[in-house]
Amino acid sequence: MEYPKAVNNVIGRLYEIQKDIFVPSVTTVIQWGCPMPIHLLNWIIKTSQGDPDKYWNVRNKDAQVGIDAHNIVELFAKKQMGILTKEEYAELQTINIQDEPLQKALTCFMDFYIRHKPKFLEVETPLFHKSIPYAGRIDAIAEIDGEVWLLDYKTSRSVDKDKKIQMQLSAYAKLYEKVGEHKIDRMGVIHLKKNFVPGKDGFPSARSKYIYEYNRDDSLMDKALDMFNLFYDQVDSSGKPKTSPELLQNFGLFFDGLLEGNNV
């Protein structure tokens, strides 16, 4: 069996990094170890209108745009690297790119590629190490203007000055430092905007910014991990408690003790 092996459960995604050794994904730690931003909570309330199904339908549609954009960009990068397989090329043909938000996200990637001319070195690299209690998978390692960047693609509305993004990239950088082949000079997000207003040429404004750089700060992930572990440290790969609690065998004696004022 090749490791890491992804396992989805009730709290998100875990990775089995060795036989029967599971750690949460970076994004799972961030999701449950950080408070929900108020603007996201407001969006959920407005979108759902009291109907959970309506919220999930909208959320899943938005998520699919991000998934499809990631997949297409990944295959493009593999083509540039000369490692795209026939099976992957066939998979590319099955993705419906008629969706307008997806077209806009891909247009942003094309504009980024034209402007910055990245040379892709790695794509979708799995990251895990026995000394680090989380794992993940990076979108890309690329050389831009002679510097090696750790990159993540985002289709969300805003990607600037976001602590959760800084946390995610810092965690990936820490993992990559342990197992990666390249020395990372910088790290950042490529913003694949799915809601821009196109100009006459169909592209975003010439002033549009695509690369948002972040500084590494390992302490951020440490704090989120502490909070995550406070609630989820005793959860196994299926989302169940790792150990069963010891149940009282004689409830009669227990209640008798309470009634007599004993501290049981």
Side-chain angles (χ1 to χ4, degrees):
M1 179 187 298
E2 291 188 4
Y3 294 104
K5 179 183 178 183
V7 179
N8 294 320
N9 71 0
V10 293
I11 62 169
R13 172 166 290 186
L14 304 182
Y15 285 100
E16 185 177 11
I17 62 172
Q18 297 179 30
K19 182 173 175 55
D20 297 328
I21 302 297
F22 297 87
V23 296
S25 71
V26 169
T27 52
T28 296
V29 172
I30 293 171
Q31 179 180 0
W32 298 108
C34 298
M36 179 181 291
I38 189 65
H39 71 270
L40 178 56
L41 178 60
N42 288 336
W43 179 81
I44 290 174
I45 295 171
K46 182 178 179 180
T47 301
S48 67
Q49 297 178 340
D51 183 348
D53 289 337
K54 182 177 291 187
Y55 161 69
W56 284 111
N57 287 338
V58 173
R59 185 180 184 276
N60 290 340
K61 184 177 180 180
D62 281 350
Q64 193 60 50
V65 171
I67 292 169
D68 288 342
H70 275 72
N71 288 343
I72 293 172
V73 169
E74 175 193 345
L75 296 177
F76 178 90
K78 285 186 172 183
K79 175 69 173 176
Q80 188 211 61
M81 295 168 65
I83 61 173
L84 184 67
T85 66
K86 291 182 179 180
E87 292 76 16
E88 288 171 330
Y89 182 77
E91 176 189 342
L92 180 60
Q93 309 307 310
T94 65
I95 300 177
N96 180 11
I97 61 172
Q98 300 307 311
D99 184 73
E100 182 177 330
L102 177 58
Q103 289 181 347
K104 288 184 175 181
L106 295 176
T107 298
C108 288
F109 175 76
M110 289 189 291
D111 203 20
F112 154 74
Y113 187 81
I114 291 169
R115 288 190 199 180
H116 297 283
K117 300 176 176 59
K119 177 185 177 183
F120 290 99
L121 305 173
E122 298 180 39
V123 292
E124 288 297 316
T125 302
L127 301 175
F128 66 101
H129 191 271
K130 62 182 181 180
S131 68
I132 299 178
Y134 47 80
R137 186 179 292 271
I138 54 172
D139 287 342
I141 300 292
E143 183 180 320
I144 302 174
D145 295 328
E147 295 181 301
V148 176
W149 284 74
L150 186 155
L151 298 172
D152 193 77
Y153 307 119
K154 299 290 186 189
T155 57
S156 45
R157 184 177 296 273
S158 175
V159 299
D160 192 21
K161 299 177 182 178
D162 187 315
K163 284 295 182 186
K164 289 186 178 181
I165 292 178
Q166 185 181 16
M167 194 179 297
Q168 181 182 5
L169 291 172
S170 296
Y172 289 160
K174 182 176 181 178
L175 285 162
Y176 191 85
E177 188 175 61
K178 291 283 188 180
V179 300
E181 297 181 12
H182 301 90
K183 180 183 178 300
I184 302 300
D185 298 311
R186 303 168 78 174
M187 62 184 197
V189 165
I190 306 303
H191 194 193
L192 307 181
K193 307 172 190 177
K194 58 187 178 185
N195 56 359
F196 70 86
V197 178
K200 293 181 180 179
D201 59 358
F203 283 85
S205 164
R207 298 188 300 274
S208 293
K209 179 179 178 181
Y210 295 117
I211 304 179
Y212 289 81
E213 184 174 9
Y214 281 87
N215 294 321
R216 178 175 165 178
D217 184 347
D218 293 347
S219 70
L220 296 176
M221 190 63 174
D222 293 339
K223 294 171 184 175
L225 188 64
D226 285 343
M227 186 59 68
F228 177 87
N229 285 337
L230 182 63
F231 295 98
Y232 298 108
D233 188 46
Q234 296 304 311
V235 174
D236 66 14
S237 62
S238 64
K240 298 178 181 178
K242 290 180 180 177
T243 56
S244 298
E246 293 184 9
L247 299 179
L248 289 166
Q249 299 300 314
N250 193 322
F251 283 93
L253 291 176
F254 176 74
F255 284 114
D256 287 345
L258 285 179
L259 290 173
E260 292 173 4
N262 296 332
N263 184 9
V264 296

